[in-house]
Amino acid sequence: MVSKPTITEVENAFFPAREIRDPNRFAGRKTYVEEAYYALLSEGTNIAVIGNRGIGKSSLARQLMNIAAGKNELLDKLSIATDKPLDFLPIYLACGKETSSHTELLEKLLTIKECLLDWSYDIPRALRSLEKYQPKFSVGIAALGGEKATESTFESTQPQHDVETVFTNVVAAIAEEKLAKNGILIVVDEFDQIKDKSGFASFLKALATNVPQVKFCIVGVAHDMQELIKEHGSADRLFAGGIINLPPMASEELAMIIRDAERSINWVIEFGDNATEKLVRLSQGHPYMVHLIGKYAFRHAFKTGCKDISNVDIETTLKSIAESGTDPILENRYKKAVASSGQREVVLKCLAEVQAGNLEIHTSDAYKKSIDQGVDNPSQFVGHLVTDDFGAEITKIRERYYRFSDSLFMAYVLARPSIVDQTVR
């Protein structure tokens, strides 16, 4: 007899709050995993994982770090041919909105314990390079051979050496120690959060010449690469063969996420075929939406003793997610776009329905659907939705053609129950 799963097991069957780190829980994406693996093998190639929000970029980057460290479980699972395991020193940093420039990014990589700082303590040449950057920041050591401090401190004094030079010297010193045969892989997640990216492409070009043992993997959106290439003519060559452009996940891959979650709790709770199809359709290729809705559907089923999740259960879950503001960012954006207008909400949902499965919205299709649902002047509400007052959630591409600014928000619009009751529209 299969034992009932614990609350902890049910709560961790889906992962909307973090990227997938376990290769056994990583679903699909064989083509893109293979491309990333070849980019790791290719000397001089930096990597960029780009795509829309909620599409699985960070999860792929985490798997890339596993592969770089010689863990081939995912490659074996996907039947991707390999040579001997790779041996990189993988470093990970999520930028966050507070990162203002590429020089601040380099400072964080140098001074955060989990990044390069700990390695620098044990390598005299690297440590001396850090000391030369004082008193801009102190690495917490009074002198060479001193004890480690618990954290870095920052001061406003003019540094003796610029941070690019210090960073280059530190990674060169670490690489020369041959701690990892293949070099250093630095993964910079949320690269799009850096406010001013100017100078980064030129720095990468110089680093590739001076310390070829270092690879960068930047995780962001397509616009990031456009900025880098525009800034430096050689940037495209630095990423040749290393740009992984993640599209929406295929339906069968999204279904694999659901099956893996069921397996993790020994199939004590399962999605019916219709519920699986509905969840996959609502997610519009975004694994984040599968994890978000799946997690709360499992929680509801566990609390009520339900073993088979149906379409009705999915609807109940969606209502609960909206009412509780489970994803406050998406929910607040939705409410700003609708602003208590039933007709604007109809137009917003019709725009999402028309774009679903396509990259563009033709207004004639969206207008017809809106008019059929009682909207008097849909073009007026489309005009609202392109403005900042309503979140600028759609963008005009050319005459009569629009696109959602964020495909994850588009999926949320499709999935979320209406705010305004049908009877008052």
Side-chain angles (χ1 to χ4, degrees), residues 204-217:
L204 273 187
K205 174 63 177 173
L207 186 69
T209 300
N210 297 320
V211 195
Q213 303 95 326
V214 177
K215 277 182 183 285
F216 266 83
C217 172

Side-chain angles (χ1 to χ4, degrees), residues 15-22 26 56-63 65 92 94 189-190 291:
F15 305 98
R18 68 166 177 84
E19 65 275 7
I20 306 301
R21 303 184 186 188
D22 182 353
F26 186 85
K57 302 185 299 295
S58 295
S59 292
L60 178 58
R62 282 291 185 180
Q63 297 306 316
M65 290 181 67
Y92 175 88
D189 205 350
E190 301 178 16
H291 284 284

Side-chain angles (χ1 to χ4, degrees), residues 278 282-283 289 292-293 314-315 317-327 330-336 338 345 348-349 352-353 408-421 425:
K278 182 180 183 67
L282 288 172
S283 299
M289 292 296 290
L292 178 67
I293 300 169
I314 297 291
E315 294 294 340
T317 299
L318 291 172
K319 184 177 179 181
S320 174
I321 288 173
E323 290 177 348
S324 63
T326 299
D327 188 318
L330 289 174
E331 180 62 15
N332 289 339
R333 288 170 60 185
Y334 186 90
K335 288 178 177 177
K336 182 175 183 177
V338 171
E345 184 173 37
L348 181 67
K349 284 186 170 290
E353 290 168 6
L408 179 59
F409 180 72
M410 183 268 289
Y412 190 78
V413 169
L414 283 176
R416 194 204 187 282
S418 297
I419 293 176
V420 185
D421 191 281
R425 287 180 175 172

Side-chain angles (χ1 to χ4, degrees), residues 224-255:
D224 296 330
M225 287 306 302
Q226 294 168 4
E227 284 187 28
L228 293 180
I229 291 172
K230 183 178 180 181
E231 177 196 333
H232 198 292
S234 297
D236 55 345
R237 191 162 70 243
L238 292 172
F239 290 90
I243 299 178
I244 316 300
N245 194 346
L246 279 187
M249 287 186 79
S251 296
E252 57 271 20
E253 294 177 326
L254 295 171

